[in-house]
Amino acid sequence: EKCQKIYHKMLLLKNLIKWKYSKRFDYNEDLTSTPLNEIKKKHLIEINQNNTIYTFRITDLVKIIETSLHFYNSHILYCEAKIPCNPFTNIPFNLSNLYSIYFRLKSLDFKIPLLFYNYFLLNFDLSKFKIECNILIREKCITSYINNLTKKDFIEGIYKMMSKKNKLCKVSMKIHQ
């Protein structure tokens, strides 16, 4: 018990020293080009990655994480979950960063997206997440795909589905506008 206490204190000291000697990434805007000094401090989070401290708006990170957890190829509508990465370096966030983001969201009473919540419940294990949340990933993928279609592409897609249905069922269906 005493050894464990000393061990944890040493880890804490190591982390404090690591943060103290890390350099700050010199970018003073969030990902939508809003200056960081115009954002409430409680909505910002600092992430230490490769001895560099990055400051993000928490909502930007949630969007990045959510997008990476239901990444899709729009041409074939193939859904795939990918490890969330730092947008400045494209280096994947490690476990401690993901836990920090999750608990920061929790402390702010933000509505935590369902995919991110499930990813957290599975201890940020991507292979387990892909297997156990396959249906959620697919649903989110399809929803994102539909929401990003132009009105013209949406209507064309409906007509294509209707023509396939008419050929398969030999029933004529029409859409009236």
Side-chain angles (χ1 to χ4, degrees):
E1 186 179 313
K2 190 174 182 180
C3 287
Q4 197 171 24
K5 235 180 194 179
I6 293 170
Y7 172 76
H8 287 292
K9 286 186 181 192
M10 294 295 285
L11 281 178
L12 180 63
L13 179 65
K14 180 193 112 189
N15 285 333
L16 289 173
I17 291 170
K18 182 179 175 184
W19 275 83
K20 183 176 180 171
Y21 290 102
S22 292
K23 62 182 178 177
R24 289 205 168 271
F25 183 68
D26 190 27
Y27 191 74
N28 295 322
E29 296 177 347
D30 70 356
L31 299 179
T32 58
S33 298
T34 304
L36 292 176
N37 60 2
E38 293 180 13
I39 301 169
K40 291 180 182 177
K41 287 244 188 237
K42 72 177 189 175
H43 293 265
L44 298 175
I45 187 169
E46 292 183 334
I47 302 290
N48 192 335
Q49 202 172 36
N50 291 346
N51 296 322
T52 304
I53 299 172
Y54 299 91
T55 305
F56 294 99
R57 177 187 282 219
I58 194 76
T59 53
D60 288 344
L61 284 181
V62 170
K63 287 176 190 170
I64 289 167
I65 292 168
E66 190 72 1
T67 301
S68 65
L69 292 178
H70 74 276
F71 174 78
Y72 67 92
N73 182 331
S74 59
H75 298 294
I76 56 173
L77 203 60
Y78 175 73
C79 302
E80 180 184 0
K82 298 181 353 182
I83 297 173
C85 296
N86 182 330
F88 297 116
T89 61
N90 210 27
I91 296 171
F93 289 121
N94 61 26
L95 279 177
S96 66
N97 291 334
L98 291 170
Y99 277 110
S100 295
I101 295 165
Y102 178 83
F103 287 114
R104 183 58 170 271
L105 279 172
K106 196 91 167 134
S107 73
L108 291 173
D109 286 334
F110 270 44
K111 184 180 178 196
I112 298 172
L114 190 58
L115 287 177
F116 188 38
Y117 177 70
N118 282 293
Y119 193 39
F120 164 76
L121 290 178
L122 296 167
N123 296 317
F124 300 113
D125 183 334
L126 193 65
S127 55
K128 280 185 186 176
F129 176 76
K130 286 178 181 180
I131 293 167
E132 295 193 24
C133 298
N134 187 17
I135 293 169
L136 283 175
I137 295 168
R138 198 169 358 140
E139 283 179 16
K140 185 70 176 175
C141 233
I142 292 168
T143 303
S144 293
Y145 177 74
I146 290 170
N147 290 339
N148 290 321
L149 284 175
T150 63
K151 188 173 182 179
K152 180 185 172 202
D153 290 338
F154 185 74
I155 291 170
E156 279 181 22
I158 291 174
Y159 279 119
K160 283 180 185 176
M161 284 191 304
M162 296 300 287
S163 69
K164 285 181 183 179
K165 174 81 171 162
N166 290 342
K167 286 177 186 174
L168 288 172
C169 298
K170 297 183 176 136
V171 176
S172 180
M173 297 173 82
K174 293 183 181 178
I175 298 176
H176 298 284
Q177 293 183 342

